[in-house]
Coordinates of all heavy atoms in Angstrom, one line a residue:
M1308 N -85.3 -1.1 -129.9 CA -84.9 -2.1 -128.9 C -85.8 -2.4 -127.8 O -85.8 -3.4 -127.3 CB -83.5 -1.5 -128.2 CG -82.3 -1.7 -129.1 SD -82.0 -3.4 -129.5 CE -81.1 -3.4 -131.1
E1309 N -86.6 -1.3 -127.6 CA -87.7 -1.6 -126.6 C -88.7 -2.7 -126.9 O -89.1 -3.5 -126.1 CB -88.5 -0.1 -126.4 CG -87.6 0.8 -125.5 CD -87.3 0.4 -124.1 OE1 -88.1 -0.2 -123.5 OE2 -86.1 0.6 -123.8
K1310 N -89.0 -2.9 -128.2 CA -89.9 -3.9 -128.7 C -89.2 -5.2 -128.4 O -89.9 -6.1 -127.8 CB -90.1 -3.7 -130.2 CG -90.9 -2.5 -130.6 CD -91.2 -2.5 -132.1 CE -91.8 -1.3 -132.5 NZ -92.0 -1.1 -133.9
T1311 N -87.9 -5.4 -128.6 CA -87.2 -6.6 -128.3 C -87.2 -7.0 -126.8 O -87.5 -8.1 -126.5 CB -85.8 -6.4 -128.8 OG1 -85.7 -6.1 -130.1 CG2 -85.0 -7.8 -128.6
I1312 N -87.0 -5.8 -126.0 CA -87.1 -6.1 -124.5 C -88.5 -6.6 -124.1 O -88.6 -7.5 -123.3 CB -86.6 -4.9 -123.9 CG1 -85.3 -4.6 -124.1 CG2 -86.8 -5.1 -122.3 CD1 -84.8 -3.2 -123.6
N1313 N -89.6 -6.1 -124.7 CA -90.9 -6.5 -124.3 C -91.2 -7.9 -124.8 O -92.0 -8.5 -124.2 CB -91.9 -5.4 -124.9 CG -91.7 -4.1 -124.3 OD1 -91.4 -4.0 -123.1 ND2 -92.1 -3.0 -124.9
I1314 N -90.6 -8.4 -125.9 CA -90.9 -9.6 -126.4 C -90.3 -10.8 -125.5 O -90.7 -11.8 -125.5 CB -90.3 -9.7 -127.8 CG1 -91.2 -8.9 -128.7 CG2 -90.3 -11.2 -128.2 CD1 -90.5 -8.8 -130.2
L1315 N -89.2 -10.3 -124.7 CA -88.5 -11.3 -123.9 C -89.4 -12.3 -123.0 O -89.0 -13.5 -123.0 CB -87.5 -10.5 -123.0 CG -86.3 -11.2 -122.5 CD1 -85.5 -11.5 -123.7 CD2 -85.5 -10.2 -121.7
E1316 N -90.5 -11.6 -122.5 CA -91.2 -12.5 -121.5 C -92.0 -13.7 -122.4 O -92.1 -14.8 -121.8 CB -92.2 -11.7 -120.8 CG -91.6 -10.9 -119.7 CD -92.6 -10.2 -118.8 OE1 -93.8 -10.6 -118.7 OE2 -92.2 -9.2 -118.2
S1317 N -92.3 -13.4 -123.5 CA -93.0 -14.4 -124.2 C -92.1 -15.3 -125.1 O -92.6 -16.3 -125.7 CB -94.1 -13.7 -125.2 OG -93.3 -13.0 -126.2
A1318 N -90.9 -15.1 -125.2 CA -90.0 -15.8 -125.9 C -89.5 -17.2 -125.1 O -89.6 -17.1 -123.9 CB -88.6 -15.1 -126.3
N1319 N -89.1 -18.2 -126.0 CA -88.6 -19.4 -125.3 C -87.1 -19.1 -124.9 O -86.5 -18.1 -125.2 CB -88.8 -20.7 -126.1 CG -88.1 -20.5 -127.4 OD1 -86.9 -20.0 -127.4 ND2 -88.5 -21.1 -128.5
I1320 N -86.6 -20.1 -124.2 CA -85.2 -20.0 -123.7 C -84.3 -19.7 -124.6 O -83.4 -18.8 -124.6 CB -84.9 -21.2 -122.8 CG1 -85.8 -21.2 -121.5 CG2 -83.4 -21.2 -122.5 CD1 -85.6 -22.5 -120.7
A1321 N -84.2 -20.4 -125.8 CA -83.4 -20.3 -126.9 C -83.4 -18.9 -127.5 O -82.4 -18.2 -127.9 CB -83.6 -21.3 -128.0
E1322 N -84.6 -18.4 -127.7 CA -84.9 -17.0 -128.4 C -84.3 -16.0 -127.3 O -83.7 -15.0 -127.8 CB -86.4 -16.8 -128.6 CG -86.8 -17.7 -129.7 CD -88.3 -17.7 -129.8 OE1 -89.1 -17.3 -128.9 OE2 -88.8 -18.0 -131.0
R1323 N -84.6 -16.2 -126.0 CA -84.1 -15.2 -125.0 C -82.6 -15.1 -125.0 O -82.1 -14.1 -125.0 CB -84.6 -15.6 -123.6 CG -85.9 -15.2 -123.2 CD -86.2 -15.5 -121.8 NE -87.5 -16.0 -121.7 CZ -87.9 -16.8 -120.8 NH1 -87.1 -17.3 -119.9 NH2 -89.2 -17.3 -120.8
E1324 N -82.0 -16.3 -125.2 CA -80.5 -16.3 -125.1 C -80.0 -15.5 -126.3 O -79.0 -14.9 -126.3 CB -80.0 -17.7 -125.1 CG -78.5 -17.8 -124.9 CD -78.1 -19.2 -124.7 OE1 -78.8 -20.1 -124.7 OE2 -76.8 -19.4 -124.6
E1325 N -80.6 -15.8 -127.5 CA -80.3 -15.2 -128.7 C -80.4 -13.6 -128.7 O -79.6 -12.9 -129.1 CB -81.0 -15.6 -129.9 CG -80.6 -15.1 -131.3 CD -81.5 -15.7 -132.4 OE1 -81.9 -16.9 -132.2 OE2 -81.5 -15.1 -133.4
I1326 N -81.5 -13.2 -128.0 CA -81.7 -11.7 -127.8 C -80.6 -11.0 -126.9 O -80.0 -10.0 -127.3 CB -83.1 -11.5 -127.2 CG1 -84.1 -11.9 -128.3 CG2 -83.2 -10.1 -126.7 CD1 -85.6 -11.9 -127.7
I1327 N -80.2 -11.8 -125.9 CA -79.2 -11.3 -125.0 C -77.9 -11.1 -125.7 O -77.2 -10.3 -125.6 CB -79.1 -12.2 -123.7 CG1 -80.5 -12.0 -122.9 CG2 -78.0 -11.8 -122.9 CD1 -80.7 -13.2 -121.9
V1328 N -77.5 -12.2 -126.4 CA -76.2 -12.2 -127.1 C -76.2 -11.1 -128.2 O -75.3 -10.4 -128.5 CB -76.0 -13.6 -127.8 CG1 -74.8 -13.5 -128.8 CG2 -75.8 -14.7 -126.7
D1329 N -77.4 -10.9 -128.8 CA -77.5 -9.8 -129.8 C -77.3 -8.4 -129.1 O -76.6 -7.6 -129.7 CB -78.8 -9.8 -130.5 CG -79.0 -10.8 -131.6 OD1 -78.0 -11.3 -132.0 OD2 -80.1 -11.1 -131.9
F1330 N -77.8 -8.2 -128.0 CA -77.5 -7.0 -127.2 C -76.1 -7.0 -126.8 O -75.4 -5.8 -126.8 CB -78.4 -6.9 -125.9 CG -79.6 -6.2 -126.0 CD1 -80.8 -6.7 -126.6 CD2 -79.8 -5.0 -125.5 CE1 -82.0 -6.0 -126.8 CE2 -80.9 -4.2 -125.6 CZ -82.0 -4.7 -126.2
A1331 N -75.4 -8.0 -126.5 CA -74.0 -8.1 -126.2 C -73.2 -7.7 -127.4 O -72.3 -6.8 -127.3 CB -73.4 -9.4 -125.7
R1332 N -73.5 -8.1 -128.6 CA -72.9 -7.6 -129.8 C -73.1 -6.2 -130.1 O -72.2 -5.4 -130.4 CB -73.4 -8.4 -131.0 CG -72.8 -9.8 -131.2 CD -73.1 -10.3 -132.5 NE -73.3 -11.8 -132.4 CZ -74.4 -12.3 -132.5 NH1 -75.5 -11.7 -132.9 NH2 -74.6 -13.7 -132.2
W1333 N -74.3 -5.7 -129.8 CA -74.5 -4.3 -130.0 C -73.7 -3.5 -129.0 O -73.1 -2.3 -129.3 CB -76.1 -4.1 -129.6 CG -76.7 -2.8 -129.7 CD1 -76.6 -1.9 -130.9 CD2 -77.5 -2.0 -128.9 NE1 -77.2 -0.8 -130.7 CE2 -77.8 -0.9 -129.5 CE3 -78.1 -2.4 -127.7 CZ2 -78.7 0.0 -129.0 CZ3 -78.9 -1.5 -127.1 CH2 -79.2 -0.2 -127.7
L1334 N -73.5 -3.8 -127.8 CA -72.7 -3.1 -126.8 C -71.1 -3.2 -127.2 O -70.4 -2.2 -127.1 CB -72.9 -3.7 -125.4 CG -74.0 -3.2 -124.7 CD1 -74.1 -3.9 -123.4 CD2 -73.8 -1.7 -124.5
E1335 N -70.8 -4.4 -127.8 CA -69.4 -4.4 -128.2 C -69.1 -3.4 -129.4 O -68.0 -2.8 -129.4 CB -69.1 -5.8 -128.7 CG -69.0 -6.8 -127.5 CD -68.8 -8.2 -128.0 OE1 -69.1 -8.6 -129.1 OE2 -68.5 -9.1 -127.1
T1336 N -70.1 -3.3 -130.3 CA -69.9 -2.4 -131.3 C -69.9 -0.9 -130.8 O -69.0 -0.1 -131.2 CB -71.1 -2.5 -132.3 OG1 -71.1 -3.9 -132.8 CG2 -71.0 -1.5 -133.5
A1337 N -70.8 -0.7 -129.8 CA -70.8 0.6 -129.3 C -69.4 0.9 -128.5 O -68.9 2.0 -128.6 CB -71.9 0.8 -128.3
S1338 N -68.8 -0.1 -127.9 CA -67.5 0.2 -127.2 C -66.4 0.5 -128.2 O -65.7 1.4 -127.8 CB -67.1 -1.2 -126.5 OG -65.8 -1.2 -126.0
Q1339 N -66.5 -0.2 -129.4 CA -65.5 0.2 -130.4 C -65.7 1.6 -131.0 O -64.7 2.3 -131.1 CB -65.5 -0.8 -131.5 CG -65.0 -2.2 -131.1 CD -65.3 -3.3 -132.2 OE1 -66.0 -2.9 -133.2 NE2 -65.0 -4.5 -131.8
E1340 N -66.9 2.0 -131.1 CA -67.2 3.3 -131.6 C -66.8 4.3 -130.5 O -66.3 5.4 -130.8 CB -68.7 3.5 -131.8 CG -69.1 2.8 -133.1 CD -70.6 3.0 -133.3 OE1 -71.4 3.8 -132.7 OE2 -71.1 2.3 -134.2
A1341 N -66.9 4.0 -129.2 CA -66.6 5.0 -128.1 C -65.1 5.1 -128.1 O -64.7 6.3 -127.8 CB -67.1 4.3 -126.8
L1342 N -64.3 4.2 -128.4 CA -62.8 4.4 -128.5 C -62.5 5.3 -129.6 O -61.6 6.2 -129.5 CB -62.2 3.0 -128.8 CG -62.0 2.1 -127.7 CD1 -61.6 0.8 -127.9 CD2 -61.3 2.8 -126.5
V1343 N -63.2 5.4 -130.8 CA -63.1 6.3 -131.8 C -63.3 7.7 -131.3 O -62.5 8.6 -131.8 CB -63.9 6.0 -133.0 CG1 -63.8 7.1 -134.0 CG2 -63.5 4.6 -133.6
Y1344 N -64.2 7.8 -130.5 CA -64.6 9.2 -129.9 C -63.7 9.6 -128.8 O -63.9 10.7 -128.2 CB -66.1 9.4 -129.6 CG -67.1 9.4 -130.8 CD1 -67.8 8.3 -131.0 CD2 -67.1 10.4 -131.6 CE1 -68.7 8.3 -132.1 CE2 -67.9 10.4 -132.7 CZ -68.8 9.4 -132.9 OH -69.6 9.4 -134.0
G1345 N -62.9 8.7 -128.3 CA -62.0 9.0 -127.2 C -62.8 8.9 -125.9 O -62.3 9.4 -124.9
E1346 N -63.8 8.1 -125.9 CA -64.6 7.8 -124.6 C -64.2 6.4 -123.9 O -64.8 5.5 -124.1 CB -66.0 7.8 -124.9 CG -66.6 9.1 -125.1 CD -66.7 10.0 -124.0 OE1 -66.8 9.6 -122.9 OE2 -66.7 11.3 -124.3
G1347 N -63.0 6.4 -123.4 CA -62.4 5.2 -122.9 C -63.2 4.6 -121.8 O -63.4 3.4 -121.7
R1348 N -63.8 5.5 -120.8 CA -64.6 4.8 -119.8 C -65.8 4.3 -120.2 O -66.2 3.2 -119.8 CB -65.0 5.9 -118.8 CG -63.7 6.4 -118.0 CD -64.0 7.5 -116.9 NE -65.5 7.8 -116.6 CZ -65.9 8.8 -115.9 NH1 -65.0 9.6 -115.3 NH2 -67.2 9.0 -115.8
F1349 N -66.5 4.9 -121.3 CA -67.8 4.2 -121.7 C -67.3 2.9 -122.5 O -68.1 2.0 -122.5 CB -68.6 5.2 -122.7 CG -69.7 4.5 -123.3 CD1 -70.8 4.4 -122.5 CD2 -69.6 3.9 -124.5 CE1 -71.9 3.7 -123.1 CE2 -70.7 3.3 -125.1 CZ -71.9 3.2 -124.4
A1350 N -66.2 3.0 -123.2 CA -65.8 1.8 -124.0 C -65.5 0.6 -123.1 O -65.9 -0.5 -123.3 CB -64.6 2.2 -124.8
T1351 N -64.8 0.9 -122.0 CA -64.5 -0.2 -121.0 C -65.8 -0.7 -120.3 O -65.9 -1.9 -120.2 CB -63.5 0.4 -119.9 OG1 -62.5 0.9 -120.6 CG2 -63.2 -0.7 -119.0
M1352 N -66.7 0.2 -119.9 CA -67.9 -0.2 -119.3 C -68.8 -1.0 -120.2 O -69.3 -2.0 -119.8 CB -68.6 1.1 -118.7 CG -69.6 0.8 -117.8 SD -70.3 2.3 -116.8 CE -70.6 3.4 -118.2
S1353 N -69.0 -0.6 -121.4 CA -69.8 -1.3 -122.3 C -69.2 -2.6 -122.8 O -69.9 -3.7 -122.8 CB -70.2 -0.4 -123.6 OG -69.1 -0.1 -124.3
A1354 N -67.9 -2.6 -122.9 CA -67.3 -4.0 -123.2 C -67.4 -4.9 -122.1 O -67.6 -6.1 -122.4 CB -65.8 -3.7 -123.6
S1355 N -67.2 -4.4 -120.9 CA -67.3 -5.3 -119.7 C -68.9 -5.8 -119.5 O -69.0 -7.0 -119.3 CB -67.0 -4.5 -118.4 OG -65.7 -4.2 -118.4
M1356 N -69.8 -4.9 -119.8 CA -71.2 -5.4 -119.7 C -71.5 -6.4 -120.8 O -72.2 -7.4 -120.5 CB -72.2 -4.2 -119.8 CG -73.5 -4.5 -119.5 SD -74.6 -3.0 -119.3 CE -76.1 -3.7 -118.8
A1357 N -71.0 -6.2 -122.0 CA -71.2 -7.0 -123.1 C -70.7 -8.4 -122.7 O -71.3 -9.5 -123.0 CB -70.7 -6.5 -124.4
E1358 N -69.4 -8.5 -122.2 CA -68.7 -9.8 -121.9 C -69.6 -10.4 -120.8 O -69.9 -11.7 -121.0 CB -67.3 -9.5 -121.3 CG -66.6 -10.8 -120.9 CD -66.4 -11.6 -122.2 OE1 -66.3 -11.2 -123.4 OE2 -66.1 -12.9 -122.0
A1359 N -70.0 -9.7 -119.8 CA -70.8 -10.3 -118.6 C -72.1 -10.9 -119.2 O -72.6 -12.0 -118.8 CB -71.1 -9.2 -117.6
M1360 N -72.7 -10.2 -120.2 CA -74.0 -10.6 -120.8 C -73.8 -11.8 -121.6 O -74.6 -12.8 -121.6 CB -74.7 -9.5 -121.6 CG -75.3 -8.4 -120.9 SD -75.7 -7.0 -121.9 CE -77.1 -7.8 -122.8
R1361 N -72.7 -11.9 -122.3 CA -72.3 -13.1 -123.1 C -72.1 -14.3 -122.3 O -72.6 -15.4 -122.6 CB -71.2 -12.7 -124.0 CG -70.9 -13.8 -125.2 CD -69.7 -13.5 -126.0 NE -69.9 -12.2 -126.6 CZ -70.5 -12.0 -127.8 NH1 -71.1 -13.0 -128.4 NH2 -70.5 -10.9 -128.4
V1362 N -71.2 -14.2 -121.3 CA -70.9 -15.2 -120.4 C -72.1 -15.8 -119.7 O -72.3 -17.0 -119.5 CB -69.8 -14.8 -119.4 CG1 -69.6 -15.8 -118.3 CG2 -68.5 -14.5 -120.2
N1363 N -73.1 -14.9 -119.3 CA -74.2 -15.3 -118.4 C -75.4 -15.4 -119.3 O -76.6 -15.5 -118.6 CB -74.3 -14.3 -117.3 CG -73.2 -14.4 -116.3 OD1 -72.9 -15.3 -115.9 ND2 -72.6 -13.2 -116.1
A1364 N -75.4 -15.4 -120.6 CA -76.7 -15.4 -121.5 C -77.5 -16.6 -121.1 O -78.7 -16.5 -121.0 CB -76.2 -15.4 -122.8
D1365 N -76.9 -17.8 -121.0 CA -77.7 -19.0 -120.7 C -78.4 -18.9 -119.4 O -79.6 -19.2 -119.3 CB -76.7 -20.2 -120.7 CG -77.6 -21.5 -120.5 OD1 -78.6 -21.7 -121.3 OD2 -77.3 -22.3 -119.5
E1366 N -77.8 -18.4 -118.3 CA -78.4 -18.2 -117.1 C -79.5 -17.2 -117.1 O -80.6 -17.4 -116.5 CB -77.3 -18.0 -116.0 CG -77.9 -17.8 -114.6 CD -76.7 -17.5 -113.6 OE1 -75.6 -17.8 -113.8 OE2 -77.1 -16.8 -112.6
L1367 N -79.2 -16.1 -117.7 CA -80.2 -15.1 -117.8 C -81.4 -15.5 -118.7 O -82.6 -15.1 -118.2 CB -79.6 -13.8 -118.5 CG -78.7 -12.9 -117.7 CD1 -78.0 -11.9 -118.5 CD2 -79.4 -12.2 -116.6
A1368 N -81.1 -16.3 -119.6 CA -82.3 -16.8 -120.5 C -83.2 -17.8 -119.7 O -84.4 -17.8 -119.8 CB -81.8 -17.4 -121.8
R1369 N -82.6 -18.7 -118.8 CA -83.3 -19.7 -118.1 C -83.9 -19.1 -116.9 O -85.0 -19.7 -116.4 CB -82.3 -20.8 -117.7 CG -81.8 -21.6 -118.9 CD -81.0 -22.8 -118.5 NE -80.3 -23.4 -119.7 CZ -81.0 -24.2 -120.5 NH1 -82.3 -24.4 -120.3 NH2 -80.4 -24.6 -121.6
D1370 N -83.3 -18.2 -116.1 CA -83.9 -17.6 -115.0 C -85.1 -16.8 -115.3 O -85.6 -16.7 -116.4 CB -82.9 -16.9 -114.2 CG -81.9 -17.8 -113.5 OD1 -82.1 -19.0 -113.5 OD2 -80.8 -17.3 -113.0
D1371 N -85.5 -16.1 -114.4 CA -86.7 -15.2 -114.4 C -86.4 -14.1 -115.5 O -85.5 -13.5 -115.5 CB -86.8 -14.4 -113.1 CG -88.1 -13.6 -113.0 OD1 -88.9 -13.8 -113.8 OD2 -88.1 -12.7 -112.1
P1372 N -87.3 -14.1 -116.4 CA -87.3 -13.1 -117.5 C -87.2 -11.7 -117.2 O -86.6 -10.9 -117.8 CB -88.5 -13.4 -118.4 CG -89.2 -14.7 -118.0 CD -88.6 -14.9 -116.6
E1373 N -87.7 -11.4 -116.0 CA -87.7 -10.0 -115.4 C -86.2 -9.6 -115.2 O -85.8 -8.3 -115.4 CB -88.5 -9.9 -114.2 CG -89.9 -10.0 -114.4 CD -90.8 -9.8 -113.3 OE1 -90.3 -9.7 -112.2 OE2 -92.0 -10.1 -113.5
K1374 N -85.4 -10.5 -114.8 CA -84.0 -10.2 -114.5 C -83.3 -9.8 -115.9 O -82.5 -8.8 -116.0 CB -83.3 -11.4 -113.9 CG -83.7 -11.6 -112.4 CD -82.9 -12.8 -111.9 CE -83.3 -13.2 -110.5 NZ -82.6 -14.4 -110.1
A1375 N -83.4 -10.7 -116.9 CA -82.9 -10.4 -118.2 C -83.4 -9.2 -118.8 O -82.7 -8.4 -119.4 CB -83.2 -11.5 -119.1
E1376 N -84.7 -8.9 -118.5 CA -85.2 -7.6 -119.0 C -84.6 -6.4 -118.3 O -84.2 -5.4 -119.0 CB -86.7 -7.6 -118.7 CG -87.5 -6.4 -119.3 CD -89.0 -6.5 -119.1 OE1 -89.6 -7.6 -119.0 OE2 -89.7 -5.4 -119.0
R1377 N -84.4 -6.5 -117.1 CA -83.7 -5.4 -116.4 C -82.2 -5.2 -117.0 O -81.9 -4.0 -117.1 CB -83.6 -5.6 -114.8 CG -84.9 -5.4 -114.1 CD -84.8 -5.3 -112.7 NE -84.2 -6.5 -112.2 CZ -84.9 -7.5 -111.6 NH1 -86.3 -7.4 -111.6 NH2 -84.4 -8.6 -111.1
V1378 N -81.6 -6.3 -117.2 CA -80.2 -6.1 -117.7 C -80.2 -5.4 -119.1 O -79.4 -4.6 -119.4 CB -79.5 -7.5 -117.8 CG1 -78.2 -7.4 -118.6 CG2 -79.3 -8.1 -116.4
L1379 N -81.2 -5.9 -119.9 CA -81.3 -5.3 -121.3 C -81.7 -3.8 -121.2 O -81.3 -3.1 -122.1 CB -82.3 -6.1 -122.1 CG -81.9 -7.5 -122.4 CD1 -82.8 -8.2 -123.2 CD2 -80.4 -7.7 -123.0
Q1380 N -82.5 -3.5 -120.2 CA -83.0 -2.0 -120.1 C -81.8 -1.2 -119.7 O -81.6 -0.1 -120.2 CB -84.1 -2.0 -119.1 CG -85.4 -2.4 -119.7 CD -86.5 -2.4 -118.5 OE1 -86.2 -2.3 -117.4 NE2 -87.7 -2.6 -119.0
Q1381 N -80.9 -1.8 -118.8 CA -79.6 -1.0 -118.4 C -78.8 -0.8 -119.6 O -78.2 0.2 -119.8 CB -78.9 -1.8 -117.4 CG -79.6 -1.7 -116.0 CD -79.0 -2.6 -115.0 OE1 -78.1 -3.4 -115.3 NE2 -79.3 -2.5 -113.7
A1382 N -78.6 -1.9 -120.4 CA -77.8 -1.8 -121.6 C -78.3 -0.7 -122.6 O -77.7 0.0 -123.1 CB -77.6 -3.2 -122.3
S1383 N -79.6 -0.8 -122.7 CA -80.3 0.1 -123.6 C -80.2 1.6 -123.2 O -79.9 2.6 -123.9 CB -81.8 -0.3 -123.8 OG -82.4 0.7 -124.6
A1384 N -80.3 1.8 -121.8 CA -80.1 3.1 -121.3 C -78.7 3.6 -121.4 O -78.4 4.8 -121.8 CB -80.4 3.1 -119.8
M1385 N -77.7 2.8 -121.3 CA -76.3 3.2 -121.6 C -76.1 3.6 -123.0 O -75.5 4.5 -123.3 CB -75.4 2.1 -121.3 CG -75.1 1.7 -119.8 SD -74.0 0.3 -119.6 CE -72.6 0.6 -120.7
M1386 N -76.7 2.9 -124.0 CA -76.6 3.2 -125.3 C -77.3 4.4 -125.6 O -76.9 5.3 -126.5 CB -77.2 2.1 -126.2 CG -76.3 0.9 -126.3 SD -74.7 1.3 -126.9 CE -75.1 2.0 -128.6
A1387 N -78.5 4.7 -125.0 CA -79.2 5.9 -125.3 C -78.3 7.2 -124.9 O -78.3 8.2 -125.5 CB -80.6 6.0 -124.6
Q1388 N -77.7 7.1 -123.7 CA -76.8 8.1 -123.3 C -75.7 8.4 -124.2 O -75.4 9.5 -124.5 CB -76.3 7.8 -121.9 CG -77.2 8.0 -120.8 CD -76.7 7.6 -119.4 OE1 -75.7 7.0 -119.3 NE2 -77.4 8.2 -118.4
F1389 N -75.1 7.4 -124.7 CA -74.0 7.4 -125.6 C -74.4 8.1 -127.0 O -73.8 9.0 -127.4 CB -73.3 6.1 -125.9 CG -72.1 6.2 -126.8 CD1 -70.9 6.9 -126.5 CD2 -72.2 5.8 -128.1 CE1 -69.9 6.8 -127.3 CE2 -71.1 5.8 -129.0 CZ -70.0 6.4 -128.6
K1390 N -75.6 7.6 -127.4 CA -76.1 8.2 -128.7 C -76.5 9.6 -128.5 O -76.5 10.4 -129.5 CB -77.3 7.2 -129.2 CG -76.8 6.0 -129.7 CD -77.9 5.3 -130.3 CE -77.5 4.0 -131.0 NZ -78.5 3.2 -131.7
A1391 N -77.0 10.0 -127.4 CA -77.4 11.4 -127.2 C -76.1 12.4 -127.1 O -76.2 13.4 -127.7 CB -78.1 11.5 -125.8
A1392 N -75.0 11.7 -126.7 CA -73.8 12.6 -126.7 C -73.1 12.6 -128.1 O -72.5 13.6 -128.5 CB -72.7 11.9 -125.7
Y1393 N -73.2 11.5 -128.8 CA -72.6 11.3 -130.2 C -73.6 10.8 -131.1 O -73.7 9.7 -131.5 CB -71.4 10.5 -130.1 CG -70.3 10.9 -129.2 CD1 -70.3 10.4 -127.9 CD2 -69.5 11.9 -129.6 CE1 -69.3 10.9 -127.0 CE2 -68.5 12.3 -128.7 CZ -68.4 11.8 -127.4 OH -67.4 12.2 -126.6
P1394 N -74.6 11.7 -131.6 CA -75.7 11.3 -132.5 C -75.3 10.9 -133.9 O -76.0 10.1 -134.5 CB -76.6 12.5 -132.5 CG -75.8 13.6 -132.3 CD -74.7 13.2 -131.3
H1395 N -74.1 11.3 -134.3 CA -73.6 11.0 -135.7 C -72.5 9.9 -135.6 O -71.5 10.1 -135.1 CB -73.3 12.3 -136.4 CG -74.3 13.2 -136.4 ND1 -75.4 13.1 -137.2 CD2 -74.3 14.5 -135.8 CE1 -76.1 14.3 -137.0 NE2 -75.5 15.0 -136.1
R1396 N -72.7 8.8 -136.2 CA -71.8 7.7 -136.2 C -70.7 8.0 -137.2 O -70.8 8.7 -138.3 CB -72.3 6.4 -136.5 CG -73.4 6.1 -135.6 CD -74.0 4.6 -136.0 NE -73.0 3.6 -136.1 CZ -73.3 2.4 -136.5 NH1 -74.4 2.1 -136.9 NH2 -72.4 1.5 -136.4
V1397 N -69.5 7.6 -136.9 CA -68.3 7.8 -137.7 C -68.4 6.6 -138.8 O -68.5 5.5 -138.5 CB -67.0 7.6 -136.9 CG1 -65.8 7.6 -137.9 CG2 -66.8 8.7 -135.9
V1398 N -68.3 7.0 -140.0 CA -68.4 6.0 -141.2 C -67.0 6.2 -141.8 O -66.6 7.2 -142.3 CB -69.5 6.4 -142.1 CG1 -69.5 5.4 -143.3 CG2 -70.8 6.4 -141.5
S1399 N -66.4 5.0 -141.9 CA -65.1 5.0 -142.6 C -65.2 4.6 -144.0 O -66.0 3.7 -144.4 CB -64.2 3.8 -141.9 OG -63.0 3.7 -142.7
R1400 N -64.6 5.4 -144.9 CA -64.7 5.3 -146.4 C -63.2 5.1 -146.8 O -63.0 5.3 -148.0 CB -65.3 6.5 -147.0 CG -66.7 6.8 -146.6 CD -67.3 7.8 -147.3 NE -68.5 8.3 -146.7 CZ -69.7 7.7 -146.9 NH1 -69.9 6.7 -147.7 NH2 -70.8 8.3 -146.4
S1401 N -62.4 4.5 -146.1 CA -61.1 4.4 -146.5 C -60.9 3.1 -147.4 O -61.6 2.1 -147.2 CB -60.0 4.1 -145.4 OG -60.5 2.9 -144.5
L1402 N -60.0 3.2 -148.4 CA -59.8 2.1 -149.3 C -58.4 1.4 -148.9 O -57.4 2.2 -148.5 CB -59.7 2.6 -150.7 CG -61.0 3.2 -151.2 CD1 -60.8 3.8 -152.6 CD2 -62.1 2.1 -151.2
H1403 N -58.4 0.2 -149.0 CA -57.2 -0.6 -148.6 C -56.6 -1.2 -149.9 O -57.3 -1.7 -150.8 CB -57.4 -1.6 -147.6 CG -57.8 -1.0 -146.3 ND1 -57.1 -0.4 -145.4 CD2 -59.0 -0.9 -145.7 CE1 -57.6 0.0 -144.4 NE2 -58.9 -0.3 -144.6

């Protein structure tokens, strides 16, 4: 993810917006995983941040790339803390 954040400054507006939305999707997935682990606070916080990023993706992409970079670094730091606490993801193998 750090490579993606570093590319942000050289990307055009459409590419920046796509990167921001991808990070938002990543946070939404993490939010769902956090619920599985019983981490309601992290789930709520990451879902809220993902929603804010998705709603403001256009503005973040058009404004100063450094602002968008800081937001993505915060999201990445949140994910790093969660992955440090729960390094093994839950894989569902249920059949329906």
Side-chain angles (χ1 to χ4, degrees):
M1308 286 296 158
E1309 288 297 319
K1310 291 178 186 178
T1311 306
I1312 294 172
N1313 294 334
I1314 293 172
L1315 207 61
E1316 286 187 25
S1317 62
N1319 64 34
I1320 293 172
E1322 291 170 338
R1323 277 188 222 147
E1324 187 172 1
E1325 185 176 331
I1326 291 169
I1327 293 166
V1328 170
D1329 285 344
F1330 262 81
R1332 276 192 219 115
W1333 185 47
L1334 278 173
E1335 287 171 345
T1336 302
S1338 173
Q1339 293 169 357
E1340 288 179 14
L1342 285 175
V1343 170
Y1344 288 112
E1346 291 289 334
R1348 286 184 9 190
F1349 178 81
T1351 302
M1352 195 166 53
S1353 58
S1355 296
M1356 187 171 192
E1358 182 67 22
M1360 288 171 66
R1361 187 181 302 278
V1362 168
N1363 296 307
D1365 183 52
E1366 183 180 331
L1367 284 169
R1369 292 184 189 283
D1370 287 350
D1371 187 16
E1373 291 176 6
K1374 289 179 186 176
E1376 187 176 331
R1377 282 193 303 264
V1378 169
L1379 297 183
Q1380 286 173 344
Q1381 289 175 350
S1383 183
M1385 282 177 51
M1386 284 303 302
Q1388 287 179 337
F1389 181 71
K1390 285 185 178 185
Y1393 300 99
H1395 305 290
R1396 296 179 63 186
V1397 174
V1398 178
S1399 174
R1400 299 186 193 276
S1401 62
L1402 298 173
H1403 298 280

